[in-house]
Amino acid sequence: MKPFTKKIVLEDGREFYGYGFGADREAINEIVFNTSMVGYQEIMSDPSYTDQMVVMTYPLIGNYGMTDEDYETKTPTIGGMIVREYNDMPSNFRYTKTLHEVLEEHDIPAISGVDTRALTRIIRDEGSQKVIVTDAATPREEALERLRAYEMPHDMVSRVSCRKRWMSRVPNHKWDVVAIDCGIKYNIVRLLNRVGCNVIVMPYNSTAEEVMAFHPDGLVLSNGPGNPEDVKPVIELVKQLRGRLPIFGICMGHQLISLAYGARTFKMKFGHRGANHPVKNLQTGKLEITSQNHSYAVDIDSLEGTGLTLTHVNLLDGTAEGVECAAEGVFSMQYHPESASGPQDSAYLFGKFTKIMEEYRHA
């Protein structure tokens, strides 16, 4: 057996050895796991994974390469990847680069050959924690000292949000929508385009005056990384614009809407990440299989008296998955209705958004 080149060290001192690929550098991140069976490219390029080291529970990663059309952002900011088996010889007529080449290009470290089942159980039982990926020869105490000294950042949204507004137009559009970029996934923009929306993507710290200058029919709040309580400009934006135009929140956008209405959020033990979470729609009684990626959740008990109604609930742990203030045309989902690749049970929500915009236009 060839000698190990890299290892990861958890906060409690446990070590896992493997083989490095991607960028050849040391990194410290929060370790999380994702249970998706496909979609490693979309996971790798999802800005919500900024500063997170993602354990892929599916054992084979890299086998279909990377495709130019499938990225969720131009510049991936994921902290790193931990996989059981990495395949550097993809079999896919669409692929243009290998996962290793893309990770190396964007200075993102990864490690293979790790017992990802054991690692996932540790995260499940003990919760997310800091992890370091380092050279196999690094002494454990030295690695632990670096972990103890490292403080997790609180500026992730400001780092991944666009600096200037940009647009995605469609012919014969029906709606003009502003999307606030907290780390927006491209597929949110694609699906808004698909239902007839011209989309103006704006920085997270845009003011209400800047948003309304475009005379939008609706406002979308995107997904994003980190603690929603750190994203005060968007919370203030919702407070100023609620009731003035329809608002649709996705993932972090759901949390930001809830905070703006006076609810609370909390850090989950290990979060929700994967394309297999069952969610019950309390308005229809139907079950939706959803794609998710978040560390924080809305406290259901704190919704009382806010004006928000609980519309969706997670059947695995009872957490809030959707809220709505119908009187003000505001609704939000914790999960990703635009999931790619993943279940499409919730794509109807983009149609719901256009229906609300239609009602506001003729009010």
Side-chain angles (χ1 to χ4, degrees):
M1 187 176 73
K2 62 181 181 179
F4 295 119
T5 60
K6 296 286 182 178
K7 71 176 178 180
I8 61 171
V9 183
L10 301 176
E11 281 187 87
D12 62 9
R14 277 178 282 195
E15 299 175 304
F16 292 79
Y17 287 82
Y19 305 96
F21 65 102
D24 183 16
R25 70 174 180 88
E26 185 174 280
I28 300 177
N29 297 116
E30 178 187 27
I31 190 169
V32 299
F33 65 82
N34 186 293
T35 58
S36 299
M37 296 179 68
V38 294
Y40 60 78
Q41 175 169 350
E42 290 82 356
I43 292 166
M44 188 279 296
S45 59
D46 181 350
S48 294
Y49 284 113
T50 300
D51 295 328
Q52 290 182 330
M53 190 77 61
V54 182
V55 179
M56 299 299 298
T57 62
Y58 190 75
L60 178 62
I61 300 297
N63 52 306
Y64 53 85
M66 304 289 280
T67 306
D68 289 344
E69 297 85 1
D70 293 346
Y71 287 97
E72 292 288 4
T73 187
K74 289 181 181 177
T75 306
T77 52
I78 189 173
M81 298 188 82
I82 301 170
V83 307
R84 177 59 182 168
E85 180 181 350
Y86 172 64
N87 184 330
D88 204 40
M89 293 182 289
S91 176
N92 176 9
F93 75 96
R94 296 178 66 232
Y95 102 91
T96 54
K97 292 181 180 179
T98 66
L99 175 59
H100 162 71
E101 289 170 331
V102 174
L103 291 172
E104 188 176 46
E105 178 182 350
H106 293 285
D107 197 33
I108 299 168
I111 183 172
S112 66
V114 173
D115 186 347
T116 52
R117 291 180 299 177
L119 200 50
T120 299
R121 290 190 182 101
I122 291 172
I123 300 168
R124 180 196 65 190
D125 295 341
E126 302 176 18
S128 301
Q129 55 185 289
K130 288 186 288 187
V131 65
I132 184 171
V133 56
T134 186
D135 190 88
T138 302
R140 183 173 67 172
E141 286 306 316
E142 186 176 318
L144 287 172
E145 185 176 337
R146 294 175 194 168
L147 278 173
R148 286 190 288 266
Y150 183 78
E151 294 291 335
M152 293 299 295
H154 293 270
D155 63 344
M156 291 176 277
V157 167
S158 66
R159 284 189 276 128
V160 300
S161 180
C162 60
R163 298 293 181 266
K164 299 286 185 181
R165 62 115 176 107
W166 58 277
M167 299 184 181
S168 180
R169 297 186 178 92
V170 292
N172 303 314
H173 80 285
K174 191 171 183 181
W175 316 103
D176 291 297
V177 170
V178 167
I180 298 299
D181 181 8
C182 298
I184 194 167
K185 294 169 65 178
Y186 284 166
N187 212 44
I188 292 176
V189 178
R190 295 185 193 113
L191 291 193
L192 286 168
N193 287 159
R194 193 176 297 174
V195 294
C197 300
N198 275 354
V199 183
I200 306 107
V201 182
M202 299 183 68
Y204 82 103
N205 55 357
S206 298
T207 65
E209 291 73 22
E210 290 169 335
V211 169
M212 296 305 291
F214 288 97
H215 305 288
D217 296 294
L219 179 69
V220 172
L221 307 180
S222 83
N223 60 292
N227 187 341
E229 294 182 6
D230 294 333
V231 196
K232 291 179 172 54
V234 182
I235 298 172
E236 183 60 32
L237 181 69
V238 175
K239 289 180 180 179
Q240 294 183 35
L241 294 183
R242 54 182 279 198
R244 295 174 62 183
L245 75 171
I247 303 178
F248 178 19
I250 296 174
C251 199
M252 175 173 273
H254 160 76
Q255 300 158 10
L256 294 171
I257 285 173
S258 299
L259 288 169
Y261 274 79
R264 296 186 301 271
T265 58
F266 63 95
K267 178 77 179 288
M268 305 176 76
K269 185 177 181 180
F270 52 81
H272 293 160
R273 292 173 186 86
N276 46 16
H277 287 259
V279 168
K280 185 175 182 179
N281 184 328
L282 300 179
Q283 296 174 321
T284 65
K286 292 183 178 180
L287 175 68
E288 302 171 23
I289 300 300
T290 67
S291 177
Q292 307 210 8
N293 173 20
H294 61 104
S295 296
Y296 291 81
V298 174
D299 181 352
I300 288 182
D301 293 335
S302 71
L303 291 172
E304 187 175 353
T306 63
L308 293 173
T309 301
L310 183 69
T311 60
H312 294 69
V313 65
N314 190 296
L315 294 183
L316 296 178
D317 58 13
T319 52
E321 292 285 354
V323 297
E324 181 175 41
C325 179
E328 296 185 329
V330 177
F331 73 105
S332 62
M333 299 296 142
Q334 180 62 80
Y335 55 84
H336 284 265
E338 84 297 339
S339 57
S341 48
Q344 300 178 2
D345 300 25
S346 308
Y348 71 90
L349 292 166
F350 290 92
K352 175 178 179 177
F353 184 47
T354 61
K355 183 179 179 181
I356 296 174
M357 289 192 290
E358 181 82 38
E359 293 170 353
Y360 262 65
R361 178 175 286 183
H362 295 99

